[in-house]
Amino acid sequence: MTPALGITLWREGARLGVAIMPPPAPPVTAMMLGRAPEVVAELMPRLFNLCGVAQGQAARAALGLPPGTADLRQEILRDHLAKLCLHWPRLTGLAPQALPQGWAEGGAALTERLWGGSRPAHLARWLASGAGMAPVLEAIATRFAPGEACADLPPLTDPMALTAQENSPAGRVAEDPLMRQAEAVFGRGPLWRALGRLVDLTTLCEARPEPVRRADGSVCVTAARGTYALRARAEGGRVTALERVTPTDHLVAPGGVLEMTLAALPAEKLALADLVVDILDPCVPVLMTEAADA
C-alpha cells in the first residue's frame, strides 16, 4: 500500500484546526548509493510516477549526464491540463472535458484555446466571459471569499532547504499581471493558485524549461507542482551522495502552504477541503479525516 499524507481537520470556532502527518520519506538515497550514474538516472523516473521526467532530468544534470529524450514540457502540460479539464470541473460540479487536440505540442493554438482567444488584460472580465477555461476558474473563485484559504509565504530562494517556502506553479509566475490582480482581490488563495497553473501552462506553451545548476551544486528543474531540486555526487563511476527535495516537501513543511491554507479555510466550508487540497496537489495520496470540535 502506498503511504498516504494524513490530514486531520477539526473546527476551532470560525476556523479549522489542522494536523498534518507526512508519509515516511522513501529511502531513495539508500537505493541509489553505489550504483552507476547512468543506472541512477534511469531508475529515478521509474520510481516516481508523478513528475518522473523532472526527476530523471535533475539526476542526469546533477551527475553530468546527457539530458535524455523524455519531454519535460509535455509532462508539465499534461499535468496542468488534467487539473483544468478533468479534476477541477469534477470537484466544482462542471462537466469534465477532453484535453485539447494537439495539446502535447503546446504553441499559440493551445494558448488561444485555453484563454478562449487572446490573453486577457482584465481578470474579472475574463472570469465572467465564459471563454476558454474561465468557467472552471470562476467556479473556484465563487466558492471562496477574499482572504479565505490563503497562505502568503516567502518566495523559493533555497530549494534544498526543508523550510516553508512558496514552491508552486503560482509562485513561479507570481509577478504576472493577471496573478497580481487575483492576489490583490482574493489573496494567495485557491483562485490565485489555480490561475497560476493556467498562466504557467500558457508560459510553457512558448518555452521549454531547462535545468539550472546553483552555486551549492544542486540542480533545479521545473516540474508540474513547483521546482524539484537534487544534489548528487559520483566518484569512481559510482554515486556516493544524493539529496532531493520536492515541491511536496515544501508543501507539507511545518508552517507551510498546506497547513496555512487549510487553517485559513472557514469552518463552515470544511466540505471544500477536498477541492483546496486538489488545487495544492501533493504528489502522494491523501487521507483526510475530520475530528471532533475543539
Side-chain angles (χ1 to χ4, degrees):
M1 180 180 296
T2 304
L5 168 65
I7 302 174
T8 303
L9 302 174
W10 63 92
R11 291 175 173 83
E12 288 186 338
R15 296 290 182 180
L16 294 177
V18 183
I20 296 173
M21 180 63 69
V28 176
T29 299
M31 296 170 64
M32 299 301 163
L33 294 184
R35 297 181 184 269
E38 295 81 359
V39 174
V40 169
E42 291 295 328
L43 283 175
M44 290 295 287
R46 296 178 185 176
L47 285 174
F48 305 98
N49 61 348
L50 298 175
C51 298
V53 177
Q55 304 209 40
Q57 282 206 3
R60 288 182 172 278
L63 292 166
L65 299 172
T69 59
D71 193 330
L72 175 60
R73 183 175 73 162
Q74 188 175 114
E75 177 177 77
I76 301 170
L77 295 183
R78 181 199 64 212
D79 283 10
H80 284 358
L81 285 167
K83 290 295 183 185
L84 289 159
C85 297
L86 304 173
H87 294 235
W88 297 340
R90 174 178 55 81
L91 288 169
T92 56
L94 301 176
Q97 52 187 292
L99 271 60
Q101 187 174 6
W103 66 266
E105 284 73 41
L110 178 57
T111 297
E112 185 174 350
R113 167 71 178 81
L114 294 170
W115 294 111
S118 59
R119 184 185 170 101
H122 301 284
L123 178 62
R125 294 177 193 170
W126 179 74
L127 289 174
S129 71
M133 291 291 120
V136 180
L137 295 192
E138 184 187 33
I140 292 171
T142 58
R143 283 160 171 76
F144 303 94
E148 291 181 349
C150 289
D152 191 354
L153 279 87
L156 182 69
T157 55
D158 189 354
M160 292 297 298
L162 288 173
T163 55
Q165 303 177 69
E166 184 59 66
N167 187 0
S168 67
R172 215 160 35 217
V173 295
E175 297 306 312
D176 180 270
L178 291 175
M179 295 294 290
R180 294 179 72 88
Q181 291 176 46
E183 183 177 2
V185 176
F186 291 93
R188 293 192 169 192
L191 174 63
W192 183 80
R193 297 185 179 282
L195 179 64
R197 285 267 191 172
L198 177 56
V199 173
D200 191 56
L201 169 58
T202 54
T203 299
L204 290 171
C205 279
E206 304 301 331
R208 291 187 177 274
E210 297 291 339
V212 175
R213 182 176 291 276
R214 292 170 53 86
D216 64 0
S218 64
V219 170
C220 292
V221 173
T222 300
R225 290 162 179 80
T227 296
Y228 175 79
L230 186 144
R231 184 162 50 214
R233 184 173 65 252
E235 298 175 2
R238 300 291 172 182
V239 173
T240 57
L242 187 145
E243 304 171 75
R244 58 190 283 275
V245 178
T246 71
T248 296
D249 292 328
H250 288 126
L251 180 69
V252 303
V257 170
L258 182 58
E259 180 181 322
M260 289 184 65
T261 299
L262 289 172
L265 182 66
E268 68 271 15
K269 295 188 176 182
L270 178 59
L272 294 176
D274 284 335
L275 174 59
V276 170
V277 172
D278 197 84
I279 291 171
L280 295 176
D281 196 22
C283 66
V284 292
V286 176
L287 179 61
M288 191 148 36
T289 56
E290 181 181 355
D293 294 2

